[in-house]
Amino acid sequence: GKITVINVVDIEDYIRGVLPYEMNNQWPAEALKAQAVCARTFAANHFDAYKSYGFDITNDAYSQVYRGMSLSTPYSDQLVEGTKGIYITHEGKLISSMYYSSNGGGSENSENVLLEAVPYLRGKLDPYEAAASEINGLSSWTKTLTRDEILQALMNKGFYEIGTIAAIVPTYSETGNVISLQITDVYGRSL
């Protein structure tokens, strides 16, 4: 009772339909060209990612936001055309050119996110992230959880052996991101 609509599109037209949804069409040319190359590389590197469903990639943030070419402009189209056929490779293979709108002030080494060290996915501090706060509401944020909320989340994940939480000690990466938490209960049990 369900239908899957698949848009079969040339990769260059696809990039024309990604670029204005992933970045502002008014941004500097070099930034938009870099985004076009990243988006093209990401798409090509993920062909067949959803093969069992009969398509390559999704049109949302799971892959890349693609909404057709209604927001493309002569300016953005020219920049896509200027990068036509250009891909990013490492040792002769397409890279996994992941990107994001916000990094909280620093990106992260791949092994802290994907569990695999990738030589070209190394964390870097980003001195420009704070300056983007007026145009990006996710550049800085805080979420506060009570001990009970944390305990419930742990129990939902199958950690039933933990009692009332006594301490939570974070481990930070070189770029200041929390990459693990040691949680200790009042009985001295840790996870």
Side-chain angles (χ1 to χ4, degrees):
K2 295 181 180 181
I3 186 170
T4 300
V5 177
I6 299 171
N7 186 8
V8 179
V9 62
D10 174 81
I11 192 161
E12 299 304 328
D13 288 337
Y14 170 77
I15 301 306
R16 287 176 53 212
V18 167
L19 190 60
Y21 293 96
E22 290 289 357
M23 286 182 79
N24 185 313
N25 260 342
Q26 305 301 310
W27 286 6
E30 294 306 313
L32 290 166
K33 290 191 313 190
Q35 179 64 40
V37 173
C38 284
R40 184 181 298 108
T41 303
F42 182 91
N45 194 32
H46 289 85
F47 287 161
D48 290 334
Y50 295 91
K51 187 176 185 176
S52 63
Y53 296 102
F55 53 87
D56 292 317
I57 51 181
T58 65
N59 67 338
D60 54 20
Y62 286 105
S63 293
Q64 299 180 111
V65 178
Y66 169 80
R67 298 284 185 261
M69 293 176 269
S70 60
L71 288 186
S72 70
T73 64
Y75 174 64
S76 65
D77 289 350
Q78 175 188 354
L79 299 174
V80 170
E81 182 64 29
T83 65
K84 183 177 181 176
I86 298 174
Y87 297 85
I88 307 168
T89 62
H90 176 74
E91 296 181 349
K93 295 179 182 170
L94 292 173
I95 69 163
S96 182
S97 58
M98 296 178 277
Y99 56 89
Y100 42 80
S101 62
S102 300
N103 61 29
S107 60
E108 195 52 65
N109 290 341
S110 61
E111 63 269 21
N112 295 332
V113 179
L114 306 173
L115 304 178
E116 179 183 355
V118 178
Y120 56 83
L121 293 177
R122 311 316 305 148
K124 300 271 188 201
L125 292 175
D126 181 356
Y128 306 104
E129 180 77 4
S133 63
E134 63 189 48
I135 61 170
N136 184 351
L138 296 176
S139 67
S140 178
W141 56 271
T142 300
K143 176 145 178 94
T144 303
L145 300 171
T146 65
R147 288 175 192 258
D148 287 341
E149 289 171 325
I150 295 169
L151 184 59
Q152 185 61 52
L154 291 170
M155 290 174 65
N156 290 345
K157 294 289 185 183
F159 295 105
Y160 297 102
E161 306 83 29
I162 195 83
T164 302
I165 297 170
I168 300 175
V169 178
T171 301
Y172 294 93
S173 70
E174 294 171 3
T175 55
N177 296 308
V178 175
I179 57 173
S180 70
L181 297 171
Q182 180 176 350
I183 300 172
T184 306
D185 70 11
V186 294
Y187 305 106
R189 296 176 295 200
S190 291
L191 57 96

